[in-house]
Each structure stands twice: as C-alpha cells, then as structure tokens.
Amino acid sequence: MDAILGAVDIGGNKIAVGLVTEQGKLLDSTKWETDPTLDGREAIIPIAHALRDMAAANHVELIGVGCGVTGPVNFEHGTLGKNAFLPNWEGDVLVQTLIHELHLPVFADNDAIATAMGEYLWGAGKDSRRFICATFGTGIGVSFVRENQPYRGVDGSHPESGHMVIDINSTAEPCFCGARGCWESLASGTAMEKRWLTEHGEAIKVKEITDRARAGDADALEAVAVMGRYIGVGVANLVSMVTPEVFCLGGGVMG
C-alpha cells in the first residue's frame, strides 16, 4: 500500500477532508459547511475525527497531513494570518490542534498554492515549466509555479492577484482589501451573489444562478456573461504579465 496522506481543504464556505496517495489518487473524502463563528479549535477537532474515521474505514495508516487554507499562511511556521473568512483561526491553532489530536506531522499552506502544486504535479499543469492556477469560489486565489516551485514573495507570502484592480470605474462596494473594483470583488462567487441580490432582490447561490442560465433564463444568462467578462479581463492581465505555458481555472464557481 502506498503512503497515505491526509488532505484538508479549508475555504470560506466549506471544509473538505480526504485521503490521498503519494501519486495524487483520492481514496476517500467528505465535506461540510464552514462555520466561521466557531472557536478555531472547536472547528478543527472534527477534521481530525474525520481523518481518523476515514483511515480506519479504508484500513490504511496516515503518515502526515497537508492543509490548504484560504487567506495568508506562513508555510515555514504553519501559522495563519489575519483572515476575513476565518477570523478565529489566526495563529498556529490549525497545525497545533491537528498535531495534538493525530500525533502526526502537519503542514499548512495557502489554498491557491496547494491547488496549483496539485495541478502542476498530477493535473492540468503536468509537464509544464511555467504554470498559473486561479481558483474561483468565495474569493479568488492565484498561484504561479515555475520550475517545480511556487512563487513566494517577501517572508514567503503568496501573490494576492485576486486583489488587483481590473475596473477603476467600478461602483461596487469596496472589497475587504480596501480596493474598489478589484478582481475578487467582481469575479468571485461572492461577487456574483451580491450582484444578483442588488439587481434582482433575491438572495441565491451561484449554483442556482448557473442552473437557471443552463435552463435559458435571460437574467441568469446575463449574470454569467458579466461574470465571464470580469474573469476574462483578469486572466488576460495575468497572461500578459507571466506568459505561462498553461493557465488552469478551478474552484467551485468553475464547477
């Protein structure tokens, strides 16, 4: 049996937990909604329980755990920075809680970097030398991989390309980053839902909007078209700056 790793994906809307081989094969997984109001440790202990239960059910032994987390993550120290989506998770509570519960090595990184490295090794970016991966969900995460390594800025920080301004004339509400018209505030799933609520007075999720678009609803088709234009502007900017061999689009909104 291959070495089995615990894989944890922590986003603003969901927590997904799985078992993965060293070759990137997913053996088992489960997910549930994120509750940002919970104390960090209280929210993290169920992750450890899920990993233990899945390992027992699949008769495998975990050798370590890797976590991809929304927001700023210090990879070297396994600490989470100030996080708009998970305000109670700042610091080392994630890594230390999982180590305490599982008695295994635990690593954490920004989810955009984790996604990009997974795609680079086993997915859309395999065999490329210069690769960009952008994920669209609650927010927008972007990572650049070059010659087997993700690009990191000062102190190991990851690029926040989701907060580049793509519309200086935008009248949308400012993003939590402080900018008005940044990519995340216009092209994320959250942005699409806010735009629909403002224009149609109805609070629904992205999936409902896209389901209606597939059924031919004119308002939903226009919402998807607007979203597509905003996604396209950001992608074109990044291609101009980095000129990658492969540009991968992922995340819940792409689904």
Side-chain angles (χ1 to χ4, degrees):
M1 170 63 71
D2 294 328
I4 303 301
L5 305 169
V8 180
D9 176 26
I10 299 168
N13 285 329
K14 75 168 190 336
I15 295 174
V17 179
L19 303 178
V20 183
T21 70
E22 286 186 300
Q23 286 70 44
K25 180 182 177 182
L26 182 66
L27 296 182
D28 198 356
S29 66
T30 186
K31 64 182 178 180
W32 59 90
E33 288 188 3
T34 307
D35 185 349
T37 65
L38 290 177
D39 169 77
R41 190 171 186 278
E42 184 183 0
I44 292 160
I45 287 177
I47 296 172
H49 291 170
L51 287 169
R52 273 199 298 260
D53 291 347
M54 277 191 289
N58 287 273
H59 308 290
V60 296
E61 183 176 352
L62 290 174
I63 65 167
V65 179
C67 306
V69 190
T70 181
V73 181
N74 185 311
F75 173 74
E76 295 294 331
H77 298 98
T79 55
L80 279 59
K82 187 176 181 180
N83 194 308
F85 301 120
L86 301 168
N88 299 324
W89 293 47
E90 187 175 343
D92 64 358
V93 63
L94 172 64
V95 169
Q96 290 306 315
T97 299
L98 290 180
I99 289 174
H100 181 266
E101 292 290 322
L102 298 170
H103 307 288
L104 292 170
V106 178
F107 298 89
D109 208 340
N110 170 260
D111 57 351
I113 290 179
T115 300
M117 289 307 298
E119 291 290 348
Y120 183 78
L121 292 169
W122 302 299
K126 190 175 181 181
D127 299 324
S128 66
R129 296 175 65 190
R130 294 167 181 82
F131 175 63
I132 298 179
C133 182
T135 57
F136 299 83
T138 308
I140 296 178
V142 181
S143 185
F144 310 91
V145 183
R146 182 179 182 274
E147 309 291 353
N148 301 315
Q149 293 294 325
Y151 172 80
R152 298 183 192 272
V154 63
D155 295 329
S157 59
H158 65 278
E160 285 286 6
S161 302
H163 296 290
M164 63 179 175
V165 174
I166 63 168
D167 183 0
I168 62 172
N169 298 313
S170 174
T171 58
E173 287 296 312
C175 178
F176 65 83
C177 73
R180 190 188 299 272
C182 74
W183 201 20
E184 184 166 303
S185 70
L186 298 173
S188 65
T190 303
M192 191 180 205
E193 291 166 1
K194 285 182 177 179
R195 192 178 301 117
W196 186 271
L197 178 61
T198 299
E199 294 177 358
H200 303 287
E202 186 181 18
I204 60 174
K205 297 295 186 181
V206 169
K207 186 177 186 305
E208 175 66 20
I209 299 171
T210 55
D211 284 348
R212 292 184 188 185
R214 289 190 184 95
D217 180 90
D219 290 336
L221 285 167
E222 174 61 20
V224 171
V226 170
M227 183 79 151
R229 286 196 292 273
Y230 283 133
I231 289 173
V233 171
V235 168
N237 286 344
L238 291 173
V239 168
S240 297
M241 286 188 284
V242 182
T243 57
E245 292 172 68
V246 178
F247 198 124
C248 172
L249 304 180
V253 172
M254 291 297 104

